[in-house]
Amino acid sequence: MEASRGIEIEKKYDVDAGAVVPPLEQAAGVARTGNPHTDLLEAVYFDTPTHALAGRRITLRRRTGGKDAGWHLKLPPQAAAGSEGPQERTELHAPLGRPDVVPDALLTHLYAYLRGAVPVPVVRLDTRRTTYPLYGADGAHLADLADDQVTAERLGDGDNATRQEWREWELELVHGGPDLFGPVEELLAAAGARPAGHASKLVRALGADTKAGKRAAAGEAPTGASGTEGAPALLAGKRAPAAAVVTVYVAAQIDQILASDAAVREEEPEAIHTMRSATRRIRSVLAAYAKLYRASPVRKLRSELKWLGQLLGQPRDAEVLRARLRDQLGALQPGDGTAGATARVEQRTGGDYDAAYRLLLEALGSGRYFRLLDKLEDFRDNPPVRADAVAPGRRAAAKAVDKAARRLERSRKAAKRARRGRDQELALHRVRKDAKRLRHVAESAALVHGKRAGKVAKAARRQQKILGQFQDAVVARDLLAAIAAEHSEPATAGIYAELLNQQEERMLEARAGYRKARKKSRDLLGRGVL
């Protein structure tokens, strides 16, 4: 059974035991407060013994009582810990099921964080919740204020089990907009409410002696929650050190890999492409800034990223090829030949995709993949920077972009000299790869070079995209030629010939488009790019 999905937008407040809920209808935009109702909730939170989920602001619980009893999984919030804005989180629900078995529909979203570990009960919360619904003048249910009396017990501590009690308020939007928080918060503050000193009930229950608790107490952004959350701390405007530029960029790509993991497992559209692009971005940037780091750890990390990228590339390439040929076959005149060719193409591309996807799923469940995720996070949190690598970010980024641009120019010249046919096709594929590297390096440089670097990345992307169309046509041509050679039925011969002609036409169009794009960006990508 699939998990249901929703978005939770809320703010939490610490409040003393004697505080009184104010008349919420006095807040601007609130017409009336509905009758409060009270529920008794019992929730058991699951995590690893090292609190791998809580450390990333992920909560997994099984809750009974109230209108939403069941298993709940809350993914990392978009607002950083300690921020003044409301937290927006994706929340997944599954039926109660067995109390000791996490539903597969939720586990799918956790494999990248659990990494082979089994979640076990870590905290039990008993909450007496009184909910005050807030309504607008048109009768719309704007929000709920939950007044929670909480008793928490850490599990697995034996005789040293820790019990805590506290009270907190939660203001959660239902159909209202974020502008409701300000007016209501004024009333709550006047009644003694304070911004919560903890990210969640779970983190507070775990306590300040845990990794998750320490992060919450310090108001730090959670590891793996959102790669750019740490950017303000790492970057001092355009004076940022070079290693910080790399760390911020790489952190965002690590988060993209983690966020894409479940989508890849569930075969969501574009998920494989998204994860593959993130691995390529990291590889490009590590190569471009290699002199900042000790060689061995970076070399090993790039090698493992290449392994993952290849596994992602095989089903992605088959997926793209199948979609391309489907469109072209669908545009042909219906008939026995078209039907026969379509069946052959579907059989070949579908088989290639299925086989490659199975290998990918095996890899995503392997210790090698989980160790790679560990290494990526370790690089982000403890970058192996050389002791003498103290280059300013602007200078290092400019040098990296210039070097990538020169590399692209050398590839372009080599492609121009190459003989027409297979040699030139391979050379143009090299140009495409180098345009992609320039794009990624320029993206990282945008953190300290702003719009200029963004323009370089855009120009490189334009070349990469056009040459990608060229390469897709080359791959489609080769596949069609192989199928035609293996299955030369008279009814399909003309169809294959037509499709092969279309690939040649698209290759010619792509060559012309590339020359135009190259000419347009010649000055931008010339000497002294940044």
Side-chain angles (χ1 to χ4, degrees), residues 191-240:
R194 307 171 299 279
H198 55 278
S200 67
K201 292 182 176 67
L202 172 62
V203 169
R204 179 161 181 173
L206 289 175
D209 58 329
T210 65
K211 188 176 182 180
K214 289 177 181 177
R215 282 200 183 111
E220 296 177 0
T223 299
S226 179
T228 55
E229 286 178 350
L234 288 169
L235 294 173
K238 295 182 178 181
R239 295 176 295 175

Side-chain angles (χ1 to χ4, degrees), residues 228-477:
T228 55
E229 286 178 350
L234 288 169
L235 294 173
K238 295 182 178 181
R239 295 176 295 175
V245 173
V246 179
T247 297
V248 171
Y249 187 76
V250 168
Q253 308 315 314
I254 293 171
D255 290 341
Q256 190 64 73
I257 291 172
L258 295 173
S260 301
D261 180 276
V264 170
R265 296 175 191 273
E266 294 184 334
E267 284 193 275
E268 292 185 9
E270 297 300 308
I272 292 177
H273 172 64
T274 300
M275 183 184 279
R276 183 191 190 190
S277 295
T279 64
R280 284 175 162 174
R281 282 181 163 90
I282 298 175
R283 288 186 64 215
S284 295
V285 169
L286 291 183
Y289 296 91
K291 291 184 178 180
L292 295 175
Y293 304 97
R294 299 195 305 274
S296 178
V298 169
R299 182 174 61 251
K300 292 177 181 177
L301 189 54
R302 291 189 68 228
S303 175
E304 290 301 280
L305 285 166
K306 182 177 182 180
W307 163 76
L308 178 58
Q310 288 173 339
L311 285 164
L312 291 161
Q314 292 169 5
R316 172 60 181 175
D317 291 345
E319 184 179 46
V320 170
L321 183 58
R322 178 169 58 183
R324 180 188 185 95
L325 292 177
R326 275 178 178 173
D327 288 344
Q328 293 175 7
L329 283 160
L332 297 179
Q333 188 72 26
D336 292 342
T338 301
T342 299
R344 292 294 184 187
V345 168
E346 286 288 335
Q347 181 182 34
R348 175 66 68 85
T349 57
D352 289 347
Y353 173 82
D354 291 342
Y357 184 68
R358 283 195 297 270
L359 289 176
L360 175 59
L361 286 184
E362 287 180 17
L364 294 185
S366 69
R368 184 176 181 179
Y369 171 62
F370 296 145
R371 287 191 296 273
L372 171 57
L373 297 181
D374 288 340
K375 290 175 182 177
L376 285 169
E377 291 185 332
D378 186 57
F379 178 90
R380 177 199 60 206
D381 299 337
N382 305 288
V385 181
R386 288 172 39 211
D388 57 345
V390 291
R394 278 180 62 81
R395 184 191 307 168
K399 289 177 65 176
V401 172
D402 287 348
K403 183 177 180 180
R406 291 195 301 271
R407 181 188 181 105
L408 176 59
E409 179 62 11
R410 288 195 299 272
S411 297
R412 182 194 69 82
K413 290 179 178 179
K416 188 175 181 180
R417 293 192 301 267
R419 290 182 300 177
R420 293 294 291 268
R422 183 65 67 180
D423 287 349
Q424 190 175 75
E425 291 167 6
L426 292 172
L428 286 174
H429 188 44
R430 178 75 261 173
V431 175
R432 178 197 177 202
K433 290 182 176 179
D434 288 338
K436 189 178 299 182
R437 173 180 285 197
L438 174 58
R439 172 192 173 186
H440 298 160
V441 177
E443 287 173 350
S444 74
L447 291 167
V448 286
H449 281 279
K451 292 182 179 180
R452 173 73 177 181
K455 290 181 180 179
V456 172
K458 185 176 180 179
R461 180 183 182 276
R462 188 179 301 115
Q463 293 186 30
Q464 168 205 331
K465 185 175 181 180
I466 294 170
L467 291 175
Q469 295 169 353
F470 177 85
Q471 181 64 16
D472 288 345
V474 170
V475 173
R477 179 203 63 192

Side-chain angles (χ1 to χ4, degrees), residues 5 7 104 114 179 264 403 414 434 465 518 520 524:
R5 181 186 296 259
I7 299 295
D104 289 341
L114 295 172
D179 56 346
V264 170
K403 183 177 180 180
D434 288 338
K465 185 175 181 180
R518 165 61 197 165
K520 185 175 181 179
L524 179 64

Side-chain angles (χ1 to χ4, degrees), residues 67-96:
K67 61 182 180 181
D68 61 347
W71 286 89
H72 303 163
L73 172 63
K74 296 185 181 183
L75 298 176
Q78 294 184 9
S83 69
E84 296 182 357
Q87 294 183 358
E88 181 173 325
R89 308 182 69 175
T90 297
E91 184 171 354
L92 304 174
H93 290 187
L96 280 170

Side-chain angles (χ1 to χ4, degrees), residues 89-263:
R89 308 182 69 175
T90 297
E91 184 171 354
L92 304 174
H93 290 187
L96 280 170
R98 291 175 52 184
D100 56 344
V101 178
V102 180
D104 289 341
L106 301 186
L107 274 178
T108 297
H109 295 267
L110 296 174
Y111 289 129
Y113 306 103
L114 295 172
R115 299 174 195 175
V118 177
V120 296
V122 293
V123 166
R124 181 172 63 244
L125 294 182
D126 292 308
T127 303
R128 181 181 179 87
R129 167 169 291 180
T130 301
T131 303
Y132 297 81
L134 282 60
Y135 296 94
D138 59 355
H141 187 178
L142 302 176
D144 285 327
L145 178 74
D147 181 1
D148 290 345
Q149 303 278 354
V150 184
T151 301
E153 179 182 3
R154 281 168 54 175
L155 305 175
D157 291 344
D159 294 337
N160 298 319
T162 302
R163 288 177 62 87
Q164 303 175 58
E165 293 184 359
W166 71 87
R167 185 183 179 197
E168 68 180 46
W169 290 344
E170 290 181 2
L171 180 62
E172 181 177 353
L173 297 182
V174 179
H175 299 298
D179 56 346
L180 184 67
F181 282 102
V184 175
E185 190 169 79
E186 290 183 12
L187 291 174
L188 299 181
R194 307 171 299 279
H198 55 278
S200 67
K201 292 182 176 67
L202 172 62
V203 169
R204 179 161 181 173
L206 289 175
D209 58 329
T210 65
K211 188 176 182 180
K214 289 177 181 177
R215 282 200 183 111
E220 296 177 0
T223 299
S226 179
T228 55
E229 286 178 350
L234 288 169
L235 294 173
K238 295 182 178 181
R239 295 176 295 175
V245 173
V246 179
T247 297
V248 171
Y249 187 76
V250 168
Q253 308 315 314
I254 293 171
D255 290 341
Q256 190 64 73
I257 291 172
L258 295 173
S260 301
D261 180 276

